[in-house]
Amino acid sequence: MRTVLLTGLSFVLTGAVIGNAYYQKKQFYPSVVYITKSNPSMAMLYIQAFVFVILMGKLMRKVFFGQLRPAEMEHLIERSWYAVTETCLAFTVFRDDFSPRFVALFTILLFLKCFHWLAEDRIDYMERSPIISLLFHLRAITLITLLGILDLYFINHAYYSTLVKGASVQLVFGFEYAILLTVLFMAFVKYILHTLDAQNENPWENKAVYLLYTELVLGFIKVVLYLAFMMIMIKVHTFPLFAIRPMYLSLRGFKKALHDVIMSRRAIRNMNTLYPDATPEELQAGDHTCIICREDMLEFSKKLPCNHIFHTSCLRSWFQRQQTCPTCRMDVLQAPRPQQVPQTPPPQQQQPPQQPQMPQNLFQGFAGMPPIPGWPPQQPVQQPGTSGASTTGTPATPTTPNAPGSGTHTVSATGTHPSTTWPTAVPNMPPFMPPMFPFVMPYGGQGMPLPPTRPEGLTDEELKNMEGQERQNVEARIQWLRDIQCLLDGAMILIQQYNTVASQSSIPNINLSGTPSNNTPTDTNNASSSSREKSKESSPVVNNDRDLVKDLSDLEGATGYTAYRRNDTHLGRSNTRRT
Amino acid sequence: MAGSALRRLMAEYKQLTLNPPEGIIAGPVNEENFFEWEALIMGPENTCFEGGVFPARLAFPPDYPLNPPKMKFTCELFHPNIYPDGRVCISILHAPGDDPMGYESSAERWSPVQSVEKILLSVVSMLAEPNDESAANVDAAKTWRENRMKFEEIAAKTVRKSLGI
């Protein structure tokens, strides 16, 4: 209402000014001269021109956008304020060229800027609305073409006038329109991508990636344009204060685009290398709705180390922001190597039936001691040699076994030897440990280590993992060494058990060291010292292990880690029992 | 095919219309734009907000569900966890990642697993049990802690106001 009133008023006043001039001079030329000579009349005409510009803007808006949404309006007003402030700053730099023409050029620039912003917002809106009408397409295409032509025309004009007349305010316009052209181009690319996407029946997974790269390239162009503009302005005029804010914004935008692209690449790489594709069985087994997009997962889905399954594309866009599992928030980068998961299950599934048999066969025949209540599975190890070992009931601390080779363990007849090297073997345990516990316990908490695959049994992929200098390769090698160490420890346990049994049935012991000795304590000493030496030799491995242990402490809640912790506490308990 | 954010919002809208949780109504303000929702939340029973119907707006980011929506009550609500301008301060509405202040663990924050329904249910429980430890409206938190009678009086007033009485 107020705008209508003001517009009407300005028309009335203009009419009055012109009418007055014509009334006084009666002729066209004298009245024109009269108006241009009179300051109030000119002021009135300038205001009228301004009103015309606004009316024109409204008309254009009606033609190209229809009704503006509140968010668009808000956006527009906010940006306009900044633009007006910057224009005023620019006036101070070019106060020498100040003229009505100059003001008019700036007004046109501002006017076109507004339309660029609106076009940008409108194209973004495409993604939000389920209904995109034909009218929308028509408007978008004509608007983008029109704005593109205008931008090019003004850039061209600025370029030639700078060539002919030397550096002037046209420099600013040239750069401004070049920037606007990049904005427009971005909107155009988005429009094309959205339209293509809308035509597709299936979701288009790579759209986000294309958008990221377009943003990166255009961000780079913008930054280069602004830097060039800064340089030229400093050389020709003075420091362009008015360009600082947009320049900072474009720098920040570029940095963000770069970051996004890097994160996206990393996510894609992890996706391709680290996480296995979910098999149809796995998808059928559970709820096969992707929790990110709430749609069915029929194909293209990945399984994380925590066994949660998502769409590949959904995961990619999430990992671009954060490297955790959306469901359980497990840090997927810190997780144990997932290649292990498909590799280890076969030997494991075979082992449980074997494991309980051996100790039972061994000990049930020899030692007829009654089982200690509460710890029935564990006592066979203790019975033969350490019948005198007191069972202290102190609570276990999971950290005790984390000090390899500390030598504080009292050397009892059995049992202490592998505890020194145990922690290195622990992270090797895959997340399937909990169900194995009943079977593991007959060994006094240290389960028979899983036999690692033999070198000739390595797949090409695993071998490739061990080559090279990168962290992943080094980790793969360390893992391999750990597997070997684990196997050695297992062998030590077996020898130990053989010895304890043998000592009772007066069969000659297996001598672990070169010197002949028959008592088991020395053997265990040797065993532990040799394993200690080993851990010294591979000290980087041990260090790495500690890091790993530290890292693992962040993984509370993850399946693999709980298994590890439970294993650990259990181990601690068995240790205290032994000492 | 429409964008994934739009598809997910449409799916959630469908879900909310088919099985609406008790005391909550929510949906897009305008079916042409699924990124602006309006919600009506009933004051939970046996609390000082019982009987009230509180309107709120939800604004979804273009990359929803990777980032959380913003929620704002459009009515006056005197509550420790609602800013005086109506914005809601609950941890699941905070962008993912670790809190720079170290106040909330990342486990409490937004993740794509959350949904509009979960947000609204958390808001209902927030209405029932204000958390005066992290106050968005310090006055309200102070009144809640020190002068419960007065808090309930103000709440009763807002309830009446929300019903237009």
Side-chain angles (χ1 to χ4, degrees), chain A residues 69 71 125-131 194 196-204 207 291-295 310 314 317-318 321-322 324-329, chain B residues 1-4 6-8 10-12 31-36 60-63 65-67 96-98 106-115 118:
Chain A
R69 288 176 302 119
Y125 179 69
M126 269 182 94
E127 223 182 359
R128 303 174 162 230
S129 176
I131 320 145
H194 289 334
L196 285 180
D197 191 22
Q199 310 257 309
N200 262 348
E201 271 306 305
N202 299 320
W204 185 19
K207 190 174 111 176
I291 196 85
I292 299 182
C293 63
R294 303 286 154 102
E295 278 171 48
F310 305 94
C314 297
S317 38
W318 172 247
R321 288 162 178 79
Q322 218 183 357
T324 56
C325 166
T327 307
C328 63
R329 301 190 195 255
Chain B
M1 199 71 183
S4 59
L6 180 60
R7 272 179 290 141
R8 156 121 185 204
M10 284 160 98
E12 281 197 48
E31 301 234 337
E32 276 180 19
N33 180 9
F34 268 86
F35 286 68
E36 293 279 337
F60 294 89
D63 57 356
L66 304 172
N67 269 317
D98 284 319
S106 68
E108 293 170 355
R109 299 167 75 89
W110 176 257
S111 121
V113 175
Q114 309 292 353
S115 61
K118 282 190 195 156

Side-chain angles (χ1 to χ4, degrees), chain A residues 286-400:
Chain A
D287 177 18
H288 47 87
T289 308
C290 171
I291 196 85
I292 299 182
C293 63
R294 303 286 154 102
E295 278 171 48
D296 273 357
M297 292 183 285
L298 297 173
E299 47 187 353
F300 307 125
S301 43
K302 289 276 182 187
K303 194 170 118 185
L304 290 183
C306 49
N307 292 337
H308 292 118
I309 301 175
F310 305 94
H311 273 133
T312 313
S313 56
C314 297
L315 263 189
R316 187 197 57 218
S317 38
W318 172 247
F319 282 159
Q320 213 172 300
R321 288 162 178 79
Q322 218 183 357
Q323 281 73 48
T324 56
C325 166
T327 307
C328 63
R329 301 190 195 255
M330 188 188 84
D331 195 334
V332 286
L333 294 182
Q334 303 271 314
R337 287 184 322 139
Q339 285 104 319
Q340 241 182 317
V341 177
Q343 176 196 332
T344 37
Q348 234 183 356
Q349 279 152 12
Q350 287 158 14
Q351 267 187 353
Q354 293 168 4
Q355 278 191 341
Q357 281 165 13
M358 283 175 17
Q360 273 159 18
N361 291 344
L362 277 175
F363 296 118
Q364 274 168 5
F366 291 110
M369 284 175 87
I372 300 168
W375 290 87
Q378 206 199 353
Q379 23 105 169
V381 182
Q382 302 209 340
Q383 279 169 9
T386 61
S387 45
S390 63
T391 49
T392 53
T394 48
T397 49
T399 46
T400 35

Side-chain angles (χ1 to χ4, degrees), chain A residues 50-311:
Chain A
F50 182 67
V51 169
F52 268 127
V53 167
I54 289 180
L55 284 180
M56 182 78 184
K58 285 201 168 171
L59 181 73
M60 297 279 274
R61 196 197 69 194
K62 204 83 188 160
V63 169
F64 288 113
F65 299 103
Q67 193 66 38
L68 285 189
R69 288 176 302 119
E72 283 175 342
M73 203 63 205
E74 210 174 280
H75 215 161
L76 182 68
I77 289 172
E78 189 194 312
R79 284 169 141 183
S80 304
W81 275 120
Y82 282 116
V84 168
T85 335
E86 277 156 18
T87 310
C88 291
L89 272 175
F91 282 162
T92 62
V93 175
F94 298 100
R95 52 192 174 277
D96 300 338
D97 319 63
F98 196 83
S99 69
R101 185 169 174 269
F102 176 74
V103 177
L105 280 176
F106 262 109
T107 317
I108 292 173
L109 175 66
L110 200 63
F111 189 77
L112 285 177
K113 262 188 189 173
C114 289
F115 276 89
H116 281 85
W117 296 329
L118 284 177
E120 223 183 343
D121 277 354
R122 221 6 104 86
I123 300 290
D124 281 341
Y125 179 69
M126 269 182 94
E127 223 182 359
R128 303 174 162 230
S129 176
I131 320 145
I132 299 293
S133 60
L134 201 68
L135 182 67
F136 183 95
H137 288 292
L138 198 70
R139 276 173 166 167
I141 291 173
T142 42
L143 181 70
I144 288 177
T145 328
L146 193 67
L147 287 178
I149 290 170
L150 282 172
D151 285 347
L152 282 174
Y153 168 75
F154 279 111
I155 292 173
N156 205 24
H157 175 72
Y159 179 69
Y160 282 109
S161 76
T162 311
L163 275 191
V164 174
K165 296 178 196 163
S168 70
V169 72
Q170 283 298 334
L171 211 60
V172 180
F173 288 118
F175 274 106
E176 288 279 6
Y177 283 112
I179 299 281
L180 284 183
L181 198 62
T182 63
V183 169
L184 193 72
F185 188 71
M186 184 72 217
F188 181 63
V189 171
K190 272 187 187 167
Y191 171 75
I192 298 279
L193 289 176
H194 289 334
T195 315
L196 285 180
D197 191 22
Q199 310 257 309
N200 262 348
E201 271 306 305
N202 299 320
W204 185 19
E205 311 299 356
N206 282 331
K207 190 174 111 176
V209 181
Y210 286 127
L211 275 177
L212 275 180
Y213 279 103
T214 324
E215 230 154 88
L216 181 73
V217 171
L218 286 176
F220 180 71
I221 293 175
K222 260 191 192 178
V223 168
V224 168
L225 276 176
Y226 269 115
L227 284 178
F229 176 60
M230 274 288 180
M231 303 279 230
I232 294 174
M233 278 304 282
I234 289 173
K235 223 170 175 182
V236 176
H237 283 277
T238 166
F239 188 73
L241 208 58
F242 56 91
I244 296 236
R245 194 191 71 95
M247 184 173 151
Y248 170 72
L249 285 183
S250 67
L251 269 175
R252 208 174 58 173
F254 176 64
K255 195 182 147 225
K256 191 179 164 286
L258 194 65
H259 180 258
D260 280 354
V261 166
I262 290 171
M263 292 310 273
S264 160
R265 285 189 68 90
R266 188 179 294 169
I268 291 172
R269 201 187 55 220
N270 285 350
M271 205 76 72
N272 292 340
T273 57
L274 290 182
Y275 315 124
D277 282 325
T279 58
E281 292 80 47
E282 282 168 333
L283 286 178
Q284 286 302 318
D287 177 18
H288 47 87
T289 308
C290 171
I291 196 85
I292 299 182
C293 63
R294 303 286 154 102
E295 278 171 48
D296 273 357
M297 292 183 285
L298 297 173
E299 47 187 353
F300 307 125
S301 43
K302 289 276 182 187
K303 194 170 118 185
L304 290 183
C306 49
N307 292 337
H308 292 118
I309 301 175
F310 305 94
H311 273 133

Side-chain angles (χ1 to χ4, degrees), chain B residues 3-78:
Chain B
S4 59
L6 180 60
R7 272 179 290 141
R8 156 121 185 204
L9 281 170
M10 284 160 98
E12 281 197 48
Y13 178 43
K14 199 171 154 198
Q15 180 64 27
L16 273 172
T17 357
L18 291 179
N19 309 310
E22 207 181 326
I24 291 171
I25 303 170
V29 180
N30 167 348
E31 301 234 337
E32 276 180 19
N33 180 9
F34 268 86
F35 286 68
E36 293 279 337
W37 284 36
E38 195 161 39
L40 287 175
I41 295 174
M42 301 247 290
E45 278 176 30
N46 304 322
T47 67
C48 49
F49 293 103
E50 183 176 353
V53 177
F54 307 105
R57 285 261 176 165
L58 285 134
F60 294 89
D63 57 356
Y64 182 81
L66 304 172
N67 269 317
K70 289 189 178 69
M71 186 173 175
K72 193 174 174 178
F73 275 101
T74 46
C75 65
E76 215 176 281
L77 208 49
F78 187 68

